[in-house]
Amino acid sequence: MSIRVTVWNEGRHEKKNPAVQEIYPNGMHEAIAGALRKAKGLEVTTATLDQDKEHGLSQGLVDNTDVFVWWGHLAHDDVSDKSVGRVHHRVLNGAGIVVLHSGHFSKIFKRLMGTTCNLKWREEKNEREILWVTRPGHPIVQGIDDHFILPAEEMYGEFFDIPEPECTFLISSFGGGEVFRSGCTWTRGAGRVVYFRPGHETFPTYHNKTVLRVIENAARWAAGNKDLPTISFGNRKLNWVNDYATGNPPPPAKK
Amino acid sequence: MSIRVTVWNEGRHEKKNPAVQEIYPNGMHEAIAGALRKAKGLEVTTATLDQDKEHGLSQGLVDNTDVFVWWGHLAHDDVSDKSVGRVHHRVLNGAGIVVLHSGHFSKIFKRLMGTTCNLKWREEKNEREILWVTRPGHPIVQGIDDHFILPAEEMYGEFFDIPEPECTFLISSFGGGEVFRSGCTWTRGAGRVVYFRPGHETFPTYHNKTVLRVIENAARWAAGNKDLPTISFGNRKLNWVNDYATGNPPPPAKK
Amino acid sequence: MSIRVTVWNEGRHEKKNPAVQEIYPNGMHEAIAGALRKAKGLEVTTATLDQDKEHGLSQGLVDNTDVFVWWGHLAHDDVSDKSVGRVHHRVLNGAGIVVLHSGHFSKIFKRLMGTTCNLKWREEKNEREILWVTRPGHPIVQGIDDHFILPAEEMYGEFFDIPEPECTFLISSFGGGEVFRSGCTWTRGAGRVVYFRPGHETFPTYHNKTVLRVIENAARWAAGNKDLPTISFGNRKLNWVNDYATGNPPPPAKK
Amino acid sequence: MSIRVTVWNEGRHEKKNPAVQEIYPNGMHEAIAGALRKAKGLEVTTATLDQDKEHGLSQGLVDNTDVFVWWGHLAHDDVSDKSVGRVHHRVLNGAGIVVLHSGHFSKIFKRLMGTTCNLKWREEKNEREILWVTRPGHPIVQGIDDHFILPAEEMYGEFFDIPEPECTFLISSFGGGEVFRSGCTWTRGAGRVVYFRPGHETFPTYHNKTVLRVIENAARWAAGNKDLPTISFGNRKLNWVNDYATGNPPPPAKK
């Protein structure tokens, strides 16, 4: 059964900025979704901020998404709390979410983390980023060598205000000497959260095969368990296990 | 220099319910604060929901608090987002917070955790709770034996919807057979968060010496570092370390 | 491509003790392996302590194992350091290991954990264990309800001297009131480690379908990534990325 | 009551290599111990590999140490298993250990971690290291700015084969573009373990005030709790909490 991926993109830079438009004529979401569509076992949808009042995040789509990929930058505040709440609820109940680059400041990521998610940053024309694998064997870095290089990217530097990751699978070093935890995972409820640092809109990062491979791997790893039962909370009666209490003869083992 | 503790309490059960009033005639906050005031090196203040429009959480008090102790239950939604945001900001910038019992559903705890913080529960007159130490040597369980027993408490049962704790220092078992992670820690920004499960308002839990010892220990452990510098974020210039770049003669070591 | 599982068992209780022999006439390893052989996509082998001088853990078998399942109790010290070192090396280089019950005291588990792995214990004829799911949505508890009950098991109680787990997916409560972290995961090198508490040899635990389901899930989750490259360590030359240094024109993006 | 620190050093480079001798005429242990002796509340002892048959680690000294500081490089294998076992036991029972630089390959660190602790490395005359704070507010980085620079150090690069740290408080970037998790913490038993990357023997790193401040902070943070009770393991009787079982009238609360 295939994994249902929803690639969500703000999609405004691509309309406003000719330089971005040239790199991503159909939007960053299509660059990413296009690559994922070529992979086996993924069913890929896109949604964008200005698509409709719900930012493309209808209840139906959200309920039928196993993993979200999220890119936003300029307009985090334009995403309605209702849509964010819907995605948040879906993640806690078993979907995954892969937050990309400037999505670190999105409402959904900040809500999942509980922190400011702030960082240091710098835009140069050609500052190189080296991404080092810090957890070989993790499914998200499958097929990736011990490092890979992006010739030009925006710098993000520590301190990155996130809760201590459950796994840090990539750490970057930049031309200027800064470092950054560029690949991190967390669990929230029954859902899995991934942060993956690259892709500033003015660079062709989402045409890079290694970057796309990491996104594909991350989507597979974070994708929800489809037959997850509803999580059970609330009031409970007493003595429901009395039959099994110590001192009574044990019931026959179920073979 | 003493640790400045602010014990915050909703304080409504004590006014409405004669049974609670009898156990805590001055409110749960005074039971807790009274015990902390007897300890060395703590400077203790209380604040309550209905004290004033800011729920006693003025900017001045929040700024001068090293660690919050938080109890709420009925009226989480009556705490204004402004006051919650103030405490959230203070914790991320280096204060601690010790969230008690039904505070698991408070706005501040849910914001720090990023999850529903939901659980199973049951109120009986005399269901016993055994709290087992699962991290001996942790400062929060200093002076506590390998377990302690509360003869009657409300049951809280797993699944407790929290991010995987950085440390789980207590796990409870209840008369009915349920279990619960009753003592947990997390880091958020420069601040420390503790959850400690006991005390339902209808039981004399905050008169129990062991419970009060854990709260005191937790407050000391979570209390902020007083000379914490402002955390640095934002735009950075390039080449600021060029003088130290590989290939140049190294500057003399600072002795 | 199927997952190659090696079920390792000490296999001595089954020969010495008629009561154990009656429950597991072909050994616990065959009870477990038999269930796994019925599952899709698993290729299952067994190995036992007294099988040969290498305890069935030949270099060839170890190299061709994706995940080990390990049960030992009486004779941990009889497993040679050479065989343990072989398994340790294999796990760090990408295999998984699922350690069962009294395997908590095995050489391999203690070496992976770095602690004593000690605990409290009690054998009664009919003390019930309730195992509560503390991470719904985790692949290891797929298909498991929010709890399951074993009518009679040996008690294991906290403090369980293990490093803080990366994920605690099951916590047990026993008839006597003790609790135990019964399902835990860690990462070591490129390998994944699972501890799963049940099955004492005198109970028919490894005939229980839920227990077998957890073992199957754990084996799938922990199984190694087959095309994992050799992890790269050691001496490195300088200036290998100079071509990409800040200030030079960036190389063309790889599309 | 003061913290009893034992600074352990291999101490052979200083005897063999005139360049090292010039930087550390009394050994690296004395450079570190000398700085710690100036700090308040620390009682500092040193011990070295060739001091006696026990490498200076007598049972008496180990039992009376609250925190070890450990430097080794050439001669890890010359440290006897007996002495290592003694330190290991002491740490699990509540002492701390601060492992420095090439101590990553020491027996004690590998035993505590359960992994190879391997890494990439390079020695240049003047490769700069920038150490970035990744957990502001942590006691170990108290008084440290958001980064500090060492003008010349040995390069250590990822992948560093360690279990996922409970806290990563420093990440380094080197002149050559590599990164390294230079400050990490773990808990083992009742003890705390810190790894702190700098000080190659041919550089005056242990004369650097910031480095010495981190070591002092780490020693304070990791130091054991003095009144830690013996951790309780082993066989337990049943029904010890029957008096408190659900259904019986609760005992009066202890006030």
Side-chain angles (χ1 to χ4, degrees):
Chain A
M1 204 160 52
S2 53
I3 294 171
R4 297 162 300 176
V5 186
T6 296
V7 180
W8 190 90
N9 183 22
E10 190 177 286
R12 288 194 183 161
H13 285 286
E14 298 93 326
K15 291 177 190 162
K16 290 181 175 180
N17 185 339
V20 178
Q21 206 171 42
E22 200 183 323
I23 304 173
Y24 300 111
N26 300 312
M28 281 181 276
H29 51 290
E30 283 301 331
I32 295 167
L36 296 179
R37 283 191 193 104
K38 290 176 192 161
K40 284 184 189 167
L42 303 181
E43 195 179 309
V44 184
T45 307
T46 63
T48 55
L49 179 65
D50 298 320
Q51 181 176 335
D52 55 34
K53 286 185 183 171
E54 295 178 306
H55 321 298
L57 297 165
S58 70
Q59 191 66 53
L61 179 65
V62 167
D63 287 347
N64 288 287
T65 294
D66 296 316
V67 60
F68 300 87
V69 176
W70 194 279
W71 197 101
H73 184 207
L74 284 178
H76 295 310
D77 284 347
D78 292 358
V79 185
S80 72
D81 287 343
K82 193 176 173 184
S83 287
V84 171
R86 211 175 255 171
V87 174
H88 186 243
H89 179 83
R90 178 74 189 101
V91 169
L92 297 188
N93 285 279
I97 186 164
V98 180
V99 175
L100 297 175
H101 191 64
S102 43
H104 76 88
F105 253 175
S106 63
K107 284 183 179 177
I108 182 65
F109 190 60
K110 290 195 289 186
R111 190 181 294 191
L112 286 162
M113 294 293 104
T115 55
T116 67
C117 302
N118 211 342
L119 46 75
K120 301 186 178 82
W121 58 273
R122 173 175 58 235
E123 277 189 67
E124 292 287 326
K125 284 192 184 168
N126 56 0
E127 183 168 3
R128 67 99 179 97
E129 175 177 10
I130 312 177
L131 297 102
W132 294 93
V133 170
T134 49
R135 185 52 63 199
H138 194 289
I140 299 184
V141 292
Q142 189 167 17
I144 310 297
D145 202 0
D146 71 339
H147 74 280
F148 62 101
I149 300 174
L150 298 175
E153 252 293 346
E154 184 182 8
M155 183 282 288
Y156 275 11
E158 295 279 350
F159 169 60
F160 182 21
D161 182 15
I162 47 172
E164 209 67 29
E166 287 163 28
C167 176
T168 301
F169 58 90
L170 286 169
I171 297 178
S172 292
S173 111
F174 292 88
E178 284 89 354
V179 298
F180 197 75
R181 287 168 290 175
S182 285
C184 303
T185 70
W186 301 264
T187 308
R188 289 291 180 272
R192 290 170 170 191
V193 183
V194 180
Y195 178 78
F196 180 46
R197 199 210 75 83
H200 193 60
E201 67 273 5
T202 58
F203 301 109
T205 301
Y206 297 129
H207 296 302
N208 178 295
K209 282 183 181 175
T210 306
V211 167
L212 292 168
R213 175 72 190 266
V214 172
I215 296 173
E216 181 195 330
N217 287 346
R220 291 185 192 279
W221 179 81
N225 175 346
K226 283 187 199 269
D227 56 359
L228 185 68
T230 304
I231 302 175
S232 181
F233 295 118
N235 193 217
R236 285 299 174 278
K237 290 186 183 168
L238 185 61
N239 289 340
W240 57 279
V241 290
N242 264 12
D243 296 342
Y244 303 101
T246 299
N248 295 337
K254 290 174 195 169
K255 290 209 180 184
Chain B
M1 204 160 55
S2 53
I3 295 171
R4 297 161 300 177
V5 187
T6 296
V7 180
W8 190 91
N9 182 24
E10 190 177 286
R12 288 194 182 161
H13 285 287
E14 298 93 326
K15 291 176 190 162
K16 289 181 177 180
N17 185 338
V20 178
Q21 206 170 42
E22 200 182 325
I23 304 173
Y24 299 110
N26 301 313
M28 280 179 278
H29 52 290
E30 284 300 332
I32 294 168
L36 297 178
R37 281 190 196 106
K38 290 176 193 162
K40 283 183 189 168
L42 303 181
E43 194 179 310
V44 185
T45 308
T46 63
T48 54
L49 179 66
D50 297 319
Q51 180 176 335
D52 54 36
K53 286 185 183 175
E54 297 179 305
H55 321 299
L57 297 164
S58 70
Q59 192 66 54
L61 179 65
V62 168
D63 287 348
N64 287 288
T65 294
D66 297 314
V67 58
F68 300 88
V69 175
W70 195 278
W71 198 101
H73 183 209
L74 284 176
H76 296 308
D77 284 347
D78 292 358
V79 185
S80 72
D81 287 343
K82 192 175 173 186
S83 289
V84 171
R86 208 174 257 170
V87 174
H88 186 243
H89 178 83
R90 178 75 190 100
V91 170
L92 298 187
N93 285 279
I97 185 165
V98 180
V99 175
L100 297 175
H101 191 63
S102 43
H104 75 89
F105 251 175
S106 63
K107 284 183 178 178
I108 182 64
F109 190 60
K110 291 195 289 185
R111 189 182 291 192
L112 286 162
M113 295 292 104
T115 56
T116 68
C117 303
N118 211 341
L119 47 76
K120 299 186 178 81
W121 58 274
R122 174 176 56 237
E123 278 189 66
E124 293 287 325
K125 285 194 181 164
N126 55 0
E127 183 168 5
R128 67 100 177 96
E129 175 178 10
I130 313 177
L131 298 101
W132 293 93
V133 170
T134 50
R135 185 52 63 198
H138 195 292
I140 300 183
V141 292
Q142 188 167 16
I144 310 297
D145 201 359
D146 70 340
H147 73 280
F148 62 100
I149 300 173
L150 299 175
E153 251 292 346
E154 185 182 9
M155 184 283 288
Y156 275 11
E158 295 279 349
F159 172 58
F160 182 21
D161 183 15
I162 47 172
E164 209 68 27
E166 287 163 28
C167 176
T168 302
F169 58 90
L170 286 170
I171 297 178
S172 293
S173 111
F174 291 89
E178 284 88 354
V179 298
F180 198 75
R181 287 170 289 176
S182 287
C184 302
T185 70
W186 300 265
T187 308
R188 289 291 180 270
R192 291 172 168 187
V193 183
V194 179
Y195 178 78
F196 180 46
R197 201 211 74 84
H200 193 61
E201 68 272 6
T202 58
F203 301 109
T205 301
Y206 297 129
H207 295 302
N208 178 296
K209 283 184 180 174
T210 307
V211 167
L212 292 168
R213 175 73 189 265
V214 172
I215 294 173
E216 181 194 330
N217 287 345
R220 290 184 191 280
W221 179 82
N225 175 346
K226 281 184 200 270
D227 56 1
L228 185 68
T230 304
I231 302 175
S232 181
F233 296 118
N235 194 214
R236 284 298 175 278
K237 290 186 184 169
L238 186 60
N239 290 341
W240 57 279
V241 290
N242 264 13
D243 296 342
Y244 302 102
T246 300
N248 295 335
K254 292 173 193 168
K255 291 207 181 186
Chain C
M1 206 159 55
S2 53
I3 294 170
R4 297 163 300 177
V5 186
T6 295
V7 180
W8 190 90
N9 182 22
E10 190 177 286
R12 288 196 182 160
H13 286 288
E14 298 92 326
K15 291 176 190 163
K16 289 182 176 179
N17 185 339
V20 179
Q21 206 171 41
E22 199 183 325
I23 304 172
Y24 299 111
N26 301 312
M28 280 181 277
H29 52 290
E30 283 302 330
I32 294 167
L36 296 178
R37 282 190 194 106
K38 291 177 192 161
K40 284 183 189 169
L42 303 182
E43 195 179 309
V44 185
T45 308
T46 63
T48 54
L49 179 65
D50 297 320
Q51 181 176 334
D52 55 34
K53 285 184 182 175
E54 295 179 307
H55 320 299
L57 296 165
S58 69
Q59 192 66 53
L61 179 65
V62 167
D63 286 348
N64 288 287
T65 293
D66 297 316
V67 59
F68 300 88
V69 176
W70 193 279
W71 198 101
H73 183 208
L74 284 177
H76 295 310
D77 284 347
D78 292 357
V79 186
S80 73
D81 287 344
K82 192 176 173 186
S83 289
V84 171
R86 208 174 257 170
V87 174
H88 186 243
H89 179 83
R90 178 74 191 103
V91 169
L92 297 187
N93 284 279
I97 185 165
V98 180
V99 175
L100 298 175
H101 192 62
S102 42
H104 74 90
F105 252 175
S106 62
K107 284 183 178 178
I108 183 65
F109 189 60
K110 289 194 289 186
R111 190 182 294 192
L112 286 161
M113 295 293 104
T115 54
T116 68
C117 303
N118 211 343
L119 45 75
K120 299 186 178 84
W121 59 274
R122 175 176 55 237
E123 279 188 66
E124 293 287 325
K125 285 194 182 164
N126 54 1
E127 183 167 4
R128 67 98 178 99
E129 175 178 11
I130 313 176
L131 296 103
W132 293 94
V133 170
T134 50
R135 186 51 65 199
H138 195 290
I140 300 184
V141 292
Q142 189 167 14
I144 309 298
D145 203 358
D146 71 340
H147 74 280
F148 62 100
I149 299 174
L150 298 175
E153 253 292 347
E154 185 182 8
M155 183 282 287
Y156 275 11
E158 296 279 351
F159 169 60
F160 182 21
D161 182 14
I162 46 172
E164 209 67 28
E166 286 163 30
C167 177
T168 301
F169 59 89
L170 286 170
I171 297 177
S172 293
S173 109
F174 290 88
E178 284 89 355
V179 299
F180 198 75
R181 288 169 290 175
S182 287
C184 303
T185 70
W186 302 263
T187 308
R188 290 291 180 269
R192 290 171 169 188
V193 183
V194 180
Y195 178 78
F196 180 46
R197 200 210 75 82
H200 193 59
E201 67 272 6
T202 57
F203 301 109
T205 300
Y206 296 129
H207 296 302
N208 179 294
K209 283 184 181 175
T210 306
V211 167
L212 292 168
R213 176 72 189 266
V214 172
I215 295 173
E216 181 194 329
N217 287 345
R220 291 184 192 281
W221 179 82
N225 174 347
K226 282 185 201 268
D227 56 2
L228 185 69
T230 303
I231 303 175
S232 181
F233 295 119
N235 193 217
R236 286 297 175 279
K237 291 185 183 169
L238 186 61
N239 290 341
W240 58 278
V241 291
N242 264 12
D243 296 341
Y244 302 101
T246 300
N248 295 337
K254 292 173 194 168
K255 290 206 179 185
Chain D
M1 204 160 54
S2 54
I3 295 171
R4 297 162 300 176
V5 187
T6 297
V7 181
W8 190 91
N9 182 22
E10 190 178 286
R12 288 195 183 161
H13 286 286
E14 297 92 327
K15 292 177 190 162
K16 290 182 176 180
N17 185 338
V20 178
Q21 206 169 41
E22 200 182 326
I23 305 172
Y24 300 111
N26 301 312
M28 280 180 277
H29 52 289
E30 283 301 331
I32 295 168
L36 297 179
R37 282 190 194 104
K38 291 176 192 161
K40 283 184 189 168
L42 303 182
E43 193 179 311
V44 185
T45 308
T46 63
T48 54
L49 179 65
D50 298 319
Q51 181 175 338
D52 55 35
K53 286 187 183 172
E54 297 179 306
H55 321 299
L57 297 164
S58 69
Q59 191 66 53
L61 179 65
V62 168
D63 287 347
N64 287 289
T65 294
D66 296 316
V67 59
F68 300 88
V69 176
W70 194 278
W71 198 101
H73 183 210
L74 285 177
H76 295 311
D77 284 347
D78 292 358
V79 185
S80 73
D81 287 343
K82 192 175 172 185
S83 288
V84 171
R86 210 174 255 170
V87 174
H88 186 243
H89 179 83
R90 178 75 189 102
V91 170
L92 298 188
N93 285 280
I97 185 164
V98 180
V99 175
L100 297 175
H101 191 61
S102 42
H104 75 89
F105 252 174
S106 63
K107 284 183 180 178
I108 182 65
F109 190 59
K110 289 196 288 187
R111 189 182 292 191
L112 286 162
M113 295 292 104
T115 55
T116 68
C117 303
N118 211 341
L119 45 75
K120 300 186 179 84
W121 58 274
R122 175 175 55 237
E123 277 189 67
E124 293 287 326
K125 284 193 181 166
N126 55 0
E127 184 168 3
R128 69 99 178 94
E129 175 178 10
I130 313 177
L131 297 103
W132 293 93
V133 170
T134 49
R135 185 53 64 199
H138 195 291
I140 300 183
V141 292
Q142 189 167 16
I144 310 296
D145 202 358
D146 70 341
H147 73 281
F148 62 102
I149 300 174
L150 299 175
E153 251 293 345
E154 184 182 9
M155 185 282 290
Y156 276 10
E158 296 278 349
F159 171 58
F160 183 21
D161 183 15
I162 46 172
E164 208 68 27
E166 287 163 28
C167 177
T168 302
F169 59 89
L170 287 169
I171 297 178
S172 292
S173 111
F174 291 89
E178 285 89 354
V179 297
F180 197 75
R181 288 168 289 175
S182 286
C184 303
T185 69
W186 300 264
T187 309
R188 290 292 180 269
R192 290 170 168 189
V193 183
V194 179
Y195 178 77
F196 180 46
R197 200 211 76 84
H200 193 60
E201 66 273 7
T202 58
F203 301 109
T205 301
Y206 297 129
H207 295 302
N208 179 294
K209 282 185 182 175
T210 307
V211 168
L212 292 169
R213 176 71 189 266
V214 173
I215 295 173
E216 181 193 330
N217 288 344
R220 290 184 192 282
W221 180 82
N225 175 346
K226 284 187 198 267
D227 57 0
L228 185 68
T230 304
I231 302 175
S232 180
F233 296 118
N235 193 218
R236 284 299 174 278
K237 290 187 184 168
L238 186 61
N239 291 339
W240 58 278
V241 290
N242 264 12
D243 296 344
Y244 302 101
T246 300
N248 295 336
K254 291 174 195 167
K255 291 210 182 187

